[in-house]
Amino acid sequence: MFVSDILKVKGSDVVSISSDEPVAAAIAVLCEKRIGALLVLDSHDRILGILSERDLVRAMNGFHDAVFSKRVGELMTHRVVTCSPKDPVAAIMGMMTAQRFRHVPVMDEGRVVGIISIGDVVKSRIEEAQAEVEALRQYITM
Ligand code: AMP
């Protein structure tokens, strides 16, 4: 299974926000879309950062009420790790575990073509394991 197989099912929609939006706007989008992270893009759709629930919790702990006077660009993670549609899902799962993040934008020829979450990766790995079990079951009962 490859990242492109996940994107075939979930599509290439990426929910994004601009770095100068207020934090409250980011929280509203996360809640409305029921997602855990927003990609922060510039006006040319280039990645500037990523803002996840974890960044917001960390900022609440550091800034308390003042968190609501912050802009997305002040709280986002700047160095974003991306993957390619050609990457194996197992490798991305290992990377998410080792680096402790749950979202990876997918880039193809310099363009953002999707984002995959730990939920997408786990679902894909379970489906793969189930298909293997079924193939083995058919093999031994032949
Ligand atoms: P997450 O587990 O994805 O909610 O994010 C945990 C932390 O890692 C947060 O500080 C995020 O901003 C950061 N993060 C999430 N995804 C990535 C990524 N693909 N590259 C770099 N940092 C990330």
Side-chain angles (χ1 to χ4, degrees):
M1 282 274 206
F2 296 89
V3 167
S4 55
D5 296 314
I6 295 181
L7 293 185
K8 264 181 224 149
V9 178
K10 81 172 280 195
S12 57
D13 277 0
V14 176
V15 183
S16 66
I17 194 161
S18 136
S19 64
D20 52 17
E21 285 286 335
V23 161
I27 294 172
V29 178
L30 289 171
C31 292
E32 185 192 318
K33 303 280 185 186
R34 306 175 82 173
I35 54 175
L38 294 171
L39 207 52
V40 186
L41 300 179
D42 71 11
S43 55
H44 300 286
D45 284 347
R46 286 179 300 226
I47 297 178
L48 294 178
I50 190 163
L51 182 79
S52 95
E53 293 161 328
R54 194 155 300 171
D55 298 309
L56 294 168
V57 170
R58 203 179 290 136
M60 281 189 268
N61 186 50
F63 299 116
H64 304 282
D65 290 352
V67 74
F68 288 103
S69 64
K70 302 287 175 194
R71 308 245 154 212
V72 167
E74 296 175 82
L75 306 185
M76 69 186 185
T77 299
H78 293 262
R79 273 174 47 104
V80 180
V81 178
T82 62
C83 68
S84 147
K86 297 186 190 118
D87 285 328
V89 174
I92 301 305
M93 193 175 196
M95 186 175 84
M96 284 173 158
T97 307
Q99 303 199 38
R100 291 175 164 267
F101 48 63
R102 296 165 292 181
H103 301 89
V104 183
V106 187
M107 301 282 294
D108 194 18
E109 295 178 358
R111 283 185 321 113
V112 179
V113 294
I115 187 163
I116 58 171
S117 72
I118 190 79
D120 301 321
V121 167
V122 168
K123 181 169 171 276
S124 148
R125 296 291 284 157
I126 289 172
E127 283 168 2
E128 201 171 23
Q130 282 170 339
E132 275 172 22
V133 167
E134 191 49 39
L136 285 171
R137 188 174 286 140
Q138 284 183 6
Y139 177 73
I140 57 175
T141 55
M142 257 183 355

